[in-house]
Amino acid sequence: MNQFVLFTLYLRDPPPLSDLIYPQPPLIGNSPSEESEEREKEPRTLTYPAYIASLLDTGAKRMAAGVRMDCNSQGQCPRSCHLCHMSPRTSQGRQQSEPVLLQITKAAPIYELVSNNETYQSLQEAMMSMLWCSGKGDVIDDWCRCDSSAFGTDGLPTCAPLPQPLLKLSYTYEPSSSLVIMEWNHTEPPIGVRIVDYLISQEKVTERTDHSKVETETLLSFVDDILSGARSPCVMLGDIPDLLSSSISMIIRCLEPDTTYMFRLWAVDNTGRRSSPSEVTIKTPCPTVDDVKAQEIADKIYNLFNGYTSGKEQQTAYNTLMDLGAPTLHRVLYHYNQRYESFGEFTWRCEDELGPRKAGLILSQLDELNPWCKGLLQEQKIGLRRMSLKFLSCRYTDTKAFGLNWSHMGQDVHKACDEQTLTVMYNDYGEPKEL
């Protein structure tokens, strides 16, 4: 990397611009008569800025490489200023002279200015310190040895800044009602910091107006808990770094529908220091329902309620409806009333066939959903879309046994992990839109 220093020369008290003239030299070999005629003529003059410009245009040898000259007028001297040099022309009523500022700038590499090896080495160490150690330590091999003043209250060095990872939702897979995919890129500077682990926090937010209030918190180590397969039943590996990509993705399962979660990510270096956290807050979609199955259950309940209902049929209907859950029960109620309301509305038939107590236990599930999800479940058509998602199922592995090399991690992980496929379901509400 070439570093340059600019040297600027200012002429702060130059002669007036009109006085800076360069007579054209006489031609060599002229006869006496020609010389006398030349003297009688008005001499050809060249202003100083024009002279400088001609040097730049013609590329004269006297101009050194990398030198830039610039002439700027500095305005006229006021008559009241006794410090200004007045040209004789001023006293004759002619236009007052203008001072000119000549600025000469030359760019030169720093290493050309160093005259000995000691100075060169000191300059190199100072620049390395500023580049990688914030000017508060020395570069030793690929790490920073911090000065005594560059330690935090926790006793950890602070001269080498720890990069903050950027946690984000996957652009490829949308969140489902029970699953999200989080991504980030593994990046670390070549000198000063070595990231050895990431910490992932999952928090369930209970207060909608204040995301700082959380109900539960789970903190996992990427290396010890996820990569090793030690204790991560609800967190699985997606993408891992290799020679072509630095992307890391995690599949987080076991989430509750229609619930707000906050995820945080920290990078951890070899001194145990944590970076600033990167946060993502997301609310999972409404619960997923199988609308075809809901229609079949609505037909089944109608057949059980139709005609004389025995005790066995009543118990079958009760057990079936209690096991559905709120989302599917809403769709069963919707399809039952759409098809069989002429034989009695669903809630009335439940009370008539099962009794008020059992019917009350069943219908109380309908209030478990918020108004938004209830409104979606009233759509005439709800499609079910399935998507296959690949993940790595890892057996317990001691990652410290083979060391941690982020760029070659893929080779080591595939030896201890099996690639499997997970089916994720999504709902599409309403009639499909034509593109």
Side-chain angles (χ1 to χ4, degrees), residues 414-432:
H414 281 91
K415 296 178 181 179
C417 303
D418 300 325
E419 187 174 284
Q420 299 182 11
T421 302
L422 175 69
T423 301
V424 185
M425 296 189 296
Y426 302 91
N427 276 143
D428 296 319
Y429 300 95
E431 294 292 338

Side-chain angles (χ1 to χ4, degrees), residues 342-401:
S342 59
F343 299 96
E345 196 269 337
F346 179 79
T347 57
W348 178 83
R349 288 304 303 270
C350 286
E351 293 177 355
D352 183 60
E353 298 291 342
L354 305 178
R357 187 182 68 84
K358 290 185 177 181
L361 293 175
I362 295 172
L363 299 175
S364 63
Q365 300 179 70
L366 299 175
D367 297 330
E368 296 177 2
L369 299 179
N370 65 30
W372 171 255
C373 293
K374 289 180 182 179
L376 292 177
L377 292 172
Q378 296 302 312
E379 290 285 345
Q380 184 177 357
K381 184 177 180 58
I382 299 180
L384 185 63
R385 176 165 44 94
R386 292 178 173 87
M387 184 175 294
S388 296
L389 180 63
K390 293 183 179 180
F391 68 95
L392 294 173
S393 177
C394 299
R395 301 177 296 274
Y396 177 74
T397 304
D398 185 6
T399 55
K400 298 179 181 179

